[in-house]
Amino acid sequence: MTDTTLMSIPGQVDPVPVARDITPREDGRMDLMGLARPRIFELFSEAGLDDRQAKLRSKQVFHWLYHRGVTDFDAMTDISKAMRPWLAERFVIGRPNVVEAQHSSDGTRKWLLQTDDGHDFEMVFIPDADRGTLCVSSQVGCTLNCTFCHTGTMRLVRNLTPGEIVGQVMLARDALGEWPKGKMDFAFEDDETDESAAHYTADGRLLTNIVMMGMGEPLYNFDHVRDALNLVMDGDGLALSKRRITLSTSGVVPMMERCGQEIGVNLAVSLHAVTKPVRDEIVPLNKKYGIEELLQACADYPKASNARRITFEYVMLKDKNDSDEDAHELVRLLKHYDLPAKVNLIPFNPWPGAEYECSTPERIRSFSNIVFEGGISAPVRTPRGRDIDAACGQLKTAAQKKSRAERDREAAAAAS
C-alpha cells in the first residue's frame, strides 16, 4: 500500500495501519523526531558508527532533541565539531510544516500543519488560568464518521507517525518559548557526560496537559500513539506526567486494556448517547462495540479509580440526546458498572452542513443538575476557539488550498 493512498473505510471496520515509523524525505535524510534512544542508536550504527560511538551520540542527541528542543546539530555543544556535519548530512530533526496559524479572540491557537509527504492535519492549544492544554491529532482524517463531528466528514488518509505526533508537542513548545535556556559545556569526546556541568534554568511551563482529542481515533493508531506518548513521558526528555495526559477514544474496545497497560494515561470516552438507536446514529462504531461492551471495558480499565476517574464526553444535541430521561439513564448506566466517572457536557459546536443544533442553556443546565444529583460530576465545558473552528468537533483541514501569497495577505490584514 502506498503512503498517500486514500483509505476509504466505514466507521465500524478497523482501518489498516501504515507500518512505517518515519515519513520519507525528498532529501534522503532520516528524521529523528519521534524516535526513542534505542532506535536512534540503531540508525547511527547502520550509518557507520561503532557501538561505543553510536551509544554516546544517541544519548547526546536524545537529550538535545527532547529536553532542549534543538533542531540544529551545530547547536549541540557537547558533540565534537567534526561529528556535527556528519550527523547533518545523514539526519534531520524536523517539525511538522506550518501551513497556517490562527489565534482566537479567547486566546486559543490553532495550527494547520503538513507532513513531509504533503498531508494536512491540525492541532490546537487552549490556555487557561491554571493550565495550558494541547489537543493533538493522531491521524490525517478519521474513519469513524461520527455525525456530529466535522472531522468525521473527512476520509482517512493515513496514520500519523510517532514523529508527527510528538512533533506537535515540540512545535507548541517552540511557539510558547518553553525550552530550557542556558549553557551546557560538556566535554566533547568523553564517554561519560557530566550532568553536573549542565547549568541552565527551565522556565515555568505554559503547556501543562496533553489530550489526544484532535483529528483521528488514537486507538486505531495504537502503536504510534503509544510510542509517541512514551517519549513525551520519558523523564530524560519532555518529562510530562501520565496524569497530565488524556487519551480519548470513541470506544475501540479491544485496544482499551492495552492502552491502560502499555500507556497508562487518563482515559476519556466519547459516549454521547445512552440508547443504542441514538448512539448507532451519531457514533457508528457503536454498531460494532455497543454501550454495554464499552462500559464493561471502562470498568476493566487498568488503574481507574476515584483519584483517576474515567471522563465520559457527552455532546449536547437538541432533541436528540438531551432529555431528562437521557440524564437519568446516564446515571443508571455509570452506577450499574460502578464506574469512577466524570461527565463532560459539551455544547455542540456548529460547523457548515451540520444537521444538529446545540441544546438550549436551560436544557443543558437541567441535564447537568440531574447527573450531579446522581452523585456524578457533570461540568459544562466552555466552548473555546469557535471563531477559528478550533472547538471540540470542529477540526477539519480546509479543502481549499490557499496560496502562500493569500495566506500572507490574510495574516497582514489580521495584524493591522
Side-chain angles (χ1 to χ4, degrees), residues 17 38 98 131 208 315 335:
V98 178
R131 69 175 61 191
T208 62
V315 64
K335 288 195 169 184

Side-chain angles (χ1 to χ4, degrees), residues 1-51:
M1 187 180 81
T2 61
D3 295 333
T4 57
T5 300
L6 207 63
M7 291 191 276
S8 179
I9 304 161
Q12 57 264 35
V13 177
D14 295 340
V16 178
V18 175
R20 59 172 168 75
D21 62 346
I22 303 174
T23 298
R25 291 172 53 91
E26 290 185 3
D27 61 12
R29 292 185 293 170
M30 193 77 72
D31 192 347
L32 300 179
M33 176 55 59
L35 303 185
R37 215 167 351 217
R39 182 78 166 104
I40 297 175
F41 168 83
E42 179 183 298
L43 291 176
F44 285 2
S45 296
E46 292 173 357
L49 295 183
D50 61 37
D51 284 354

Side-chain angles (χ1 to χ4, degrees), residues 60-61 74 79 113 196 207 245 286 302 310 361 366:
Q60 292 169 319
V61 169
D74 277 339
I79 297 177
L113 307 174
S196 66
L207 197 169
I245 300 174
N286 195 68
I310 294 174
S366 175

Side-chain angles (χ1 to χ4, degrees), residues 4 27 32 56 59 80 126 137 140 207 219 238 259 280 300 308 344 347 357-358 372-373 383-384 399:
T4 57
D27 61 12
L32 300 179
L56 172 63
K59 177 182 179 181
S80 68
I126 306 167
S137 292
V140 180
L207 197 169
L219 295 188
L238 288 162
C259 177
D280 280 353
D300 296 337
R308 297 188 66 186
N344 262 348
E357 296 179 38
C358 182
F372 266 118
E373 288 166 4
R384 299 290 299 274

